[in-house]
Amino acid sequence: SVTWTATDVNGNIATCTQTVNVTDNQNPVITCPATANIGTDAGLCTSSASIGTATATDNCSVASVVASPAGPYAVGTHTITWTATDVNGNTATCTQTVNVTDTENPVITCPANIAVCDPGSPVVNFNVTATDNCSVASIVSTPASGSNFAPGVTTVNSVATDANGNTSTCSF
């Protein structure tokens, strides 16, 4: 409230009151962090690594700075929207790119050596297994299970490949 007072040359006084409403309609100024290139957490197909934090300033004061969506983030490219809100409800946004890559190799398990006592070219069946933090895309053995094996020693080489191109090998 502002009170106005007027006095004439004879000393007569009159007053009135005025209400002044001050509003903040200025949005905060927000700066996003740089692109984040992060790897998956060990044993997981997601990452909870730090992607940085947006910073914001305001003519009054900043109440919050929030990322959406919040982590953890799956393998792939994500657009994160950061929103700064000041104490009077004004907002500003910016976007950040987050790239999550899987560099964890699958874990492959070959069977123990197999001895077959059969004349000719017996069919040999075996099972190679693999696990991965994301998913196993393929297990390829050369020669393959169910193949005919010639007499003598044959080394089987197996390769497990995960959905993101990481590989592991074993032999028996």
Side-chain angles (χ1 to χ4, degrees):
S1 292
V2 175
T3 301
W4 294 91
T5 303
T7 306
D8 68 12
V9 292
N10 297 314
N12 298 310
I13 298 173
T15 62
C16 69
T17 303
Q18 175 188 26
T19 300
V20 177
N21 293 315
V22 178
T23 58
D24 172 22
N25 59 6
Q26 184 174 339
N27 292 333
V29 175
I30 188 169
T31 303
C32 268
T35 296
N37 297 305
I38 56 179
T40 56
D41 297 341
L44 300 175
C45 199
T46 59
S47 180
S48 57
S50 173
I51 62 170
T53 302
T55 57
T57 58
D58 189 66
N59 61 320
C60 290
S61 83
V62 176
S64 66
V65 178
V66 179
S68 179
Y73 302 102
V75 171
T77 299
H78 306 273
T79 300
I80 309 307
T81 300
W82 289 89
T83 302
T85 305
D86 72 11
V87 294
N88 295 304
N90 299 304
T91 62
T93 61
C94 64
T95 58
Q96 174 192 21
T97 301
V98 174
N99 299 308
V100 180
T101 55
D102 171 28
T103 58
E104 192 171 329
N105 292 332
V107 176
I108 188 169
T109 304
C110 277
N113 291 339
I114 300 171
V116 177
C117 191
D118 189 351
S121 298
V123 172
V124 178
N125 292 301
F126 53 86
N127 188 29
V128 177
T129 61
T131 59
D132 188 66
N133 62 315
C134 289
S135 65
V136 176
S138 67
I139 301 172
V140 177
S141 296
T142 307
S145 178
S147 296
N148 291 82
F149 281 67
V153 176
T154 301
T155 299
V156 176
N157 295 303
S158 298
V159 178
T161 304
D162 73 10
N164 297 300
N166 301 304
T167 62
S168 289
T169 62
C170 67
S171 299
F172 64 98

